[in-house]
Amino acid sequence: MNGVILPLAITLAIQAATSMAMIAPSVMAPVAALELGVSPQGIGWFVALEYLFAMLSGLACGALIVRFGPLRVCQISVCLAAAGLAAGTGAVLPVVFAAAGLIGSGYGLVNPVSSQILASAAPPRMMSLIFSIKQTGVPVGGALAGVLVPPLVLAFGWRWGAVAVALLCLSVALAIQPARATDAAARRGAGSGSMADFFAPLRLVFANPPVLELAIVSMIFGSAQLALIAYFVTYLNLELGYGLVAAGLIYSSAHLAGVVGRITWGAVADRWLSPRSMLGLLGLLMALSGMGVAAFSANWPLPAVIALSALFGASAVGWNGVYLAEVARRAPPGRVGAITGGTQFLTFIGALAAPPLFGAVAGLVGSYGKAYFIFCLLPALAGLRLLSSAHRT
């Protein structure tokens, strides 16, 4: 167990920093959109671009790991995110969209390189739990964005809020440099990876039907997760009338519940349920809690809003660790990073399509709440499919 503590700490820090960088623009959207002269719903296109570039960088990650080593790739990921946040402060739309590409490219490297690191370090009997602890970096990053960014925006403006998050990312890159030096010494003479076969990770996924099924389910779950991440603050602020700080705190409660959920679901999948059954139950839970969120009104008591938001976050943000551990278990020897990059490509198709599609649906039906209800139908069907196949198995 001692041998996994440092790799887990590094990958958790990288995950939290890049997740905060990904989510911070959505928290700033109600203010930044007005200055940019666009609708707050336009944040969906920014988030979609982030995930488009994350899809592509994930496919390249396997070759980058071979060429530079996993810890250097970790540093590259947070530096790209910091560069994107800094570029976005220019407040010119073409540059803002380029910023989305940089942030997304950094984020797309995190899961493949983390899986490569943790698959070698984690005890097999604890793999779901270890991967889930690392994945708590996503809701931790979201919670930090919800708690820290709104006060920074109100006090100093959204540009300085972006700069503060960028500096945090750079500090993480510097903090892991001592471990990186050790990694570089161990890798001398390891050779260089080739970028020529860019789509090899996808071929690995399509050649493995159980992994392909998991990847398709993750695409559906990812769409529900992004609906929560991209629009929840806007929903609470503009449709339900909560102040920006109060909306950020409720948003943070959903992400903090995701931290608890990820650890809990990982432990359950290691000890009592198969990963497939656990994921099936989470699909049903995110559907039911998401439909509850869709029923919010300004008359709801605050404790009820927080409780149901937390339940939605625990499921919609809490499934990834169990999923990634199961993909790593089924990877060919030495190809964990590559096959994770391939499955992530499919996962992020859902993340890519969800924000603009959710914004379009919200505009069509005239309500963010109704859009949440519609988006939670597919996770229910995916959950039932996983439970059915787990029962047959």
Side-chain angles (χ1 to χ4, degrees), residues 274-359:
S274 71
R276 187 176 295 270
S277 296
M278 186 73 257
L279 290 169
L281 290 174
L282 287 175
L284 296 180
L285 183 59
M286 77 177 71
L288 293 173
S289 57
M291 291 173 184
V293 163
F296 283 170
S297 74
N299 297 323
W300 274 54
L302 182 59
V305 171
I306 293 174
L308 199 50
S309 299
L311 190 61
F312 190 24
S315 52
V317 185
W319 56 275
N320 311 68
V322 176
Y323 160 73
L324 287 170
E326 183 65 4
V327 170
R329 286 189 190 96
R330 295 180 176 274
R335 303 304 303 277
V336 174
I339 202 168
T340 302
T343 58
Q344 180 178 268
F345 186 89
L346 296 179
T347 306
F348 284 175
I349 288 176
L352 171 68
L357 185 58
F358 187 97

Side-chain angles (χ1 to χ4, degrees), residues 100-201:
L102 287 168
I103 295 170
S105 295
Y107 187 76
L109 299 175
V110 176
N111 278 336
V113 71
S114 297
S115 291
Q116 183 76 31
I117 292 169
L118 293 179
S120 301
R125 69 185 184 282
M126 299 178 64
M127 188 171 281
S128 291
L129 177 59
I130 296 298
F131 273 66
S132 294
I133 292 173
K134 171 261 170 183
Q135 282 299 114
T136 60
V138 176
V140 165
L144 288 172
V147 169
L148 298 179
V149 173
L152 287 170
V153 170
L154 294 176
F156 304 108
W158 66 270
R159 287 182 178 85
W160 284 110
V163 169
V165 179
L167 291 174
L168 178 62
C169 290
L170 291 177
S171 70
V172 173
L174 290 173
I176 65 174
Q177 179 58 31
R180 153 67 188 144
T182 303
D183 180 60
R187 293 189 68 261
R188 286 197 184 101
S192 62
S194 171
M195 301 292 290
D197 203 354
F198 186 70
F199 293 102

